[in-house]
Amino acid sequence: MHEFEFIDWIKTYLGNKGNHDQIPVGIGDDMAVIDFRGGHLLLGSDMTIQGVHFEESQATAEQVGHKALGRCLSDCAAMGGEPLAAIISVAKPVSLSEEWLKGLYYGMGELADRYRCPIVGGDTSGSPERLVIDVALLGRCESNPPILRSGARVGDTLYVTGPLGGSILGKHLSFEPRIPQATLMVRNLPVHAMVDISDGLSSDLNHLCKESGCGAELWVDRLEAVISHDARRLAEKTGNLPLVHALDDGEDFELLAAIGLPPDQLPSLGENIVLYPIGMITSERTVSLVYPDGTRSALTPHGFRHF
Amino acid sequence: MHEFEFIDWIKTYLGNKGNHDQIPVGIGDDMAVIDFRGGHLLLGSDMTIQGVHFEESQATAEQVGHKALGRCLSDCAAMGGEPLAAIISVAKPVSLSEEWLKGLYYGMGELADRYRCPIVGGDTSGSPERLVIDVALLGRCESNPPILRSGARVGDTLYVTGPLGGSILGKHLSFEPRIPQATLMVRNLPVHAMVDISDGLSSDLNHLCKESGCGAELWVDRLEAVISHDARRLAEKTGNLPLVHALDDGEDFELLAAIGLPPDQLPSLGENIVLYPIGMITSERTVSLVYPDGTRSALTPHGFRHF
C-alpha cells in the first residue's frame, strides 16, 4: 500500500475505535472537527523532518520553525478556522547547536505572534540523527461551520489564492498561511469546499473531487495566470513545462476553493486578497485540462507521496 | 543548557507570543489548559522514537503503539481529565513492513477504544532511518477544574497509585494509563496537585515541589511498599539498591498526588485503586528522605534527561 491507500486503511480501522459521537469530521480532511459545548474545534498535526521537509544547508533555523508551524496554520485556513493554540514536539540531535535550536523557536514564535496562536506546550526529546518537529494545532470555527473538502457542488468555480509551482526554490520555507484571506472568504462568499495546496494542485484537487463525489475541469488559459515566477525558473532547469510545475509541485500552501459564484459576480474582498479562477466543478468524476481550442486531456494526480 | 533549562527558556520566550488570554496554564504542566466556551480543554503531546523510547528488537509493534498513545493518556490522567480526541503523526522508514505499521495502529486503536479516545487525524511521512510517532491529545475537565502541579499545600500527604522502578524490564511498554483512577480520585478526594511519574519519582516530585513553591519528605519505611518486583530484579543486575530504582527510574506512568487527607482518613475508592502513602509536603524547599530512625538525607533528582 502506498501512503494514500494506507491512510484509507487507517481511516477504516480507527473509525470505530473510541467514541466518535462528538467527531463530525475525522481522518481525511485538512483537520478533524470536534464538537464541544456547542462550538466547533479543529485538530490537526504536521511533522517536519530534516532531510525530508528541509535541508539544513538550504534553510535557516528560523525558516524551519516558520515552515513547521506554518503548515498547520495553512490547514487551519483551509478549514475556514482560526488558531486557538499549538503544541510542539521537538526531537533534537546532539549535533544541533543551542543557537540553532533557539532560532527554530524564534521562527515559530514570530509566526505564532502574527496569527495570534499561542504555543502552549509540547515535548522535547533527543534524536540520534535528525531534527524532527511535530506541530499539533487546535483551532476553532466560531462564526461559520468548518469548510470541508466534501462540500463542492457541480457548477462551483475553482479559485486559488496565489501563484503555484517551484516552491522548492524558496516559498516552501517562507509562505504565509492564508488565514486572513480564508476568514474574509468564508464570511463574504459561498465557499462550499476548500483545501490547502500542500501535495500539489493536481493531487489536492483530486482529493477534493473524491471527497465531494464530483469531478472538475481546469482551464489552461486561466492557469497561465497562476504559473509562478519560480515555476518558470524551475522549468528552465528541469525541462518540464512551467504549467506542469504549477500543477504538480507541492508545498505552495495557497488555498484551492470551490465557490458558488462565477468570476464575473465575485465581489472584491480588498487589496490583500486576489482570487484566481482556474476551473469549475463538474458532475463527471474525472479531472480534465481544457485547452483554449476546446480539446481536453485527463489530469493525473502527480503530487508528492511519502511512501 | 540541558533539557529542563531549555524548557524554561522556551517557556519564557514563547510566553508573550500570540494571545494567551484563554490559556490559564501553558508550558510546564503535564498538559496545557485552554478555556473554551466556559469549559476547560487540555492539550499535550509526546514523541516516541525508535532507539530512544523503544528498541525494535525488544518491543512488538502493538506495544509501541500502546506506549505512544498511553504516554499522552497518562498526562491526561495527571490533569484529572478525560480524553476527547487524539491525533497521530507517523514518520515511517522504508524498512518497516506494512504488517508492522498496521500492528502499531492496532496497539493504539485498542487503547483508544478502552479509554474512549477517538483518533481523528494526523500526518504521515517518510523517515530516512527511524520510526517516529508523535501523539497529540485533546482532553477536557468537565466536572472538576484541572489538577495542576502547582497546587500542593504544606501538610498534604503524597500518594502514588502503584509500585515503581525497573519499568525498562517491560512495564514501560504495557502500563495502563491511570485515567479511571484519576477520575475517582478527583471526584472523591481533595487532590491538590498531581503529576504522572514519567521522568522518575525523584525528578517528578522535584517538578511538583518547584511549581508549588514547597518541599517534601519521603518516608523510607513507606517507600518499601512501592518498590516494584521489577525494581528488585533490576537491582540484582545493576548492583544498585532497589529503592534507588524506585526513586530514579522513569516511565512507570503511575500518578503522584498531593492530597489533603492523611492515610488514616482516606476513604476506600473501590478495589481497582490503591493509594500508597509515601511522604508529605513540607514548607522547607528541599526534598528529603526520612529513615525509620529519624535521620534524613537530601534526595537529588536523578530522572532521565534527553539532553
Side-chain angles (χ1 to χ4, degrees):
Chain A
M1 290 196 288
H2 66 60
E3 185 179 12
F4 298 143
E5 288 168 340
F6 195 72
I7 292 170
D8 284 340
W9 177 86
I10 294 171
K11 187 176 175 177
T12 304
Y13 169 66
L14 292 176
N16 65 349
K17 301 295 175 194
N19 173 14
H20 287 254
D21 292 350
Q22 291 163 301
I23 315 294
V25 180
I27 293 166
D29 218 301
D30 290 277
M31 298 179 82
V33 180
I34 299 155
D35 289 340
F36 184 74
R37 292 190 167 219
H40 298 292
L41 293 167
L42 307 171
L43 191 63
S45 65
D46 280 301
M47 197 175 258
T48 299
I49 305 174
Q50 183 178 6
V52 177
H53 299 91
F54 68 95
E55 299 295 336
E56 204 191 333
S57 60
Q58 291 164 28
T60 67
E62 287 78 2
Q63 286 177 321
V64 174
H66 179 101
K67 178 171 186 173
L69 178 58
R71 292 172 67 198
C72 268
L73 291 171
S74 179
D75 285 326
C76 188
M79 302 296 291
E82 290 175 80
L84 196 51
I87 47 173
I88 315 283
S89 290
V90 173
K92 174 195 124 47
V94 176
S95 59
L96 209 72
S97 72
E98 191 176 301
E99 187 187 19
W100 204 97
L101 197 58
K102 283 185 175 178
L104 180 76
Y105 281 88
Y106 291 140
M108 292 191 282
E110 200 262 348
L111 200 61
D113 210 31
R114 197 168 335 146
Y115 295 103
R116 296 175 66 79
C117 177
I119 298 170
V120 299
D123 189 27
T124 49
S125 172
S127 173
E129 296 94 7
R130 285 162 198 279
L131 179 68
V132 181
I133 309 148
D134 193 66
V135 178
L137 187 76
L138 180 66
R140 63 181 160 188
C141 279
E142 287 281 48
S143 53
N144 62 281
I147 309 296
L148 308 183
R149 296 181 176 187
S150 57
R153 303 176 198 174
V154 174
D156 283 351
T157 304
L158 289 164
Y159 296 89
V160 293
T161 54
L164 304 175
S167 79
I168 192 69
L169 297 181
K171 187 182 178 188
H172 77 112
L173 294 167
S174 63
F175 65 92
E176 285 299 321
R178 298 304 188 196
I179 288 180
Q181 290 82 352
T183 304
L184 275 175
M185 288 162 68
V186 299
R187 281 190 193 154
N188 295 288
L189 303 174
V191 181
H192 295 151
M194 199 148 60
V195 64
D196 76 324
I197 302 173
S198 52
D199 294 331
L201 174 59
S202 62
S203 185
D204 290 311
L205 175 58
N206 190 265
H207 296 151
L208 187 144
C209 288
K210 190 179 157 198
E211 293 294 325
S212 294
C214 60
E217 57 180 47
L218 293 181
W219 307 320
V220 173
D221 56 347
R222 293 289 203 154
L223 284 170
E224 280 293 317
V226 297
I227 297 172
S228 71
H229 182 65
D230 281 342
R232 296 184 193 282
R233 274 176 61 209
L234 191 58
E236 285 174 21
K237 294 183 188 175
T238 63
N240 291 328
L241 287 173
L243 179 63
V244 170
H245 285 291
L247 290 169
D248 292 343
D249 289 358
E251 304 207 318
D252 271 303
F253 301 106
E254 298 293 345
L255 299 175
L256 168 68
I259 301 181
L261 275 182
D264 59 357
Q265 294 176 29
L266 205 69
S268 165
L269 299 181
E271 63 183 17
N272 294 322
I273 171 169
V274 182
L275 291 174
Y276 300 85
I278 58 167
M280 67 183 293
I281 295 292
T282 61
S283 57
E284 290 153 73
R285 294 198 175 196
T286 55
V287 180
S288 309
L289 287 174
V290 183
Y291 292 86
D293 64 2
T295 58
R296 289 167 173 265
S297 66
L299 179 67
T300 312
H302 278 296
F304 190 74
R305 277 201 329 242
H306 282 284
F307 56 85
Chain B
M1 291 195 287
H2 66 59
E3 185 179 11
F4 298 143
E5 288 168 340
F6 194 73
I7 292 171
D8 284 339
W9 177 87
I10 294 171
K11 186 176 174 175
T12 304
Y13 169 66
L14 292 176
N16 66 349
K17 301 293 173 195
N19 173 12
H20 286 255
D21 292 349
Q22 291 164 300
I23 315 294
V25 179
I27 294 166
D29 218 301
D30 290 278
M31 298 179 82
V33 180
I34 299 154
D35 289 340
F36 184 74
R37 293 191 167 218
H40 299 292
L41 292 168
L42 307 171
L43 191 63
S45 65
D46 281 300
M47 197 174 259
T48 299
I49 304 174
Q50 183 179 8
V52 177
H53 299 91
F54 69 94
E55 299 295 336
E56 204 190 336
S57 60
Q58 291 164 29
T60 67
E62 287 78 3
Q63 285 176 322
V64 173
H66 179 102
K67 178 172 184 172
L69 178 57
R71 291 173 66 200
C72 268
L73 291 171
S74 179
D75 286 326
C76 188
M79 303 296 290
E82 291 174 82
L84 197 50
I87 46 173
I88 315 282
S89 290
V90 173
K92 173 193 124 50
V94 177
S95 59
L96 209 72
S97 73
E98 191 176 300
E99 187 188 20
W100 204 98
L101 197 58
K102 284 187 175 178
L104 180 77
Y105 281 87
Y106 292 140
M108 292 192 281
E110 200 262 348
L111 200 62
D113 210 31
R114 196 170 333 147
Y115 295 104
R116 296 175 66 81
C117 177
I119 299 169
V120 300
D123 189 26
T124 49
S125 171
S127 173
E129 297 94 8
R130 286 162 196 279
L131 179 69
V132 181
I133 309 148
D134 193 66
V135 178
L137 187 76
L138 180 67
R140 63 181 160 188
C141 279
E142 286 282 49
S143 53
N144 61 282
I147 310 295
L148 308 183
R149 295 181 177 187
S150 58
R153 303 175 197 174
V154 173
D156 282 351
T157 305
L158 289 165
Y159 296 88
V160 292
T161 53
L164 303 175
S167 80
I168 191 70
L169 297 181
K171 187 183 177 187
H172 77 111
L173 294 168
S174 63
F175 65 92
E176 286 298 319
R178 298 306 188 195
I179 287 179
Q181 289 83 354
T183 303
L184 275 174
M185 287 162 69
V186 299
R187 281 191 192 153
N188 295 287
L189 303 174
V191 181
H192 294 151
M194 198 147 62
V195 64
D196 75 324
I197 301 173
S198 52
D199 294 330
L201 175 59
S202 63
S203 186
D204 290 311
L205 175 57
N206 192 265
H207 296 151
L208 187 145
C209 288
K210 190 180 158 198
E211 293 294 323
S212 294
C214 60
E217 57 180 45
L218 293 180
W219 307 320
V220 173
D221 56 348
R222 292 289 202 155
L223 284 170
E224 280 293 317
V226 296
I227 297 173
S228 72
H229 181 65
D230 281 341
R232 296 185 193 281
R233 275 174 63 209
L234 191 58
E236 286 174 19
K237 294 184 188 174
T238 63
N240 291 329
L241 288 173
L243 178 62
V244 170
H245 284 291
L247 290 169
D248 292 342
D249 289 357
E251 304 208 317
D252 270 304
F253 301 105
E254 298 293 346
L255 299 174
L256 169 67
I259 300 180
L261 275 181
D264 58 358
Q265 294 174 31
L266 204 68
S268 166
L269 298 181
E271 62 184 16
N272 294 324
I273 171 168
V274 182
L275 291 173
Y276 299 86
I278 58 166
M280 67 184 292
I281 296 291
T282 62
S283 58
E284 291 152 72
R285 292 197 177 198
T286 55
V287 180
S288 308
L289 286 174
V290 183
Y291 293 86
D293 64 2
T295 58
R296 287 167 174 267
S297 66
L299 179 67
T300 312
H302 278 296
F304 189 74
R305 276 199 332 241
H306 283 282
F307 54 88

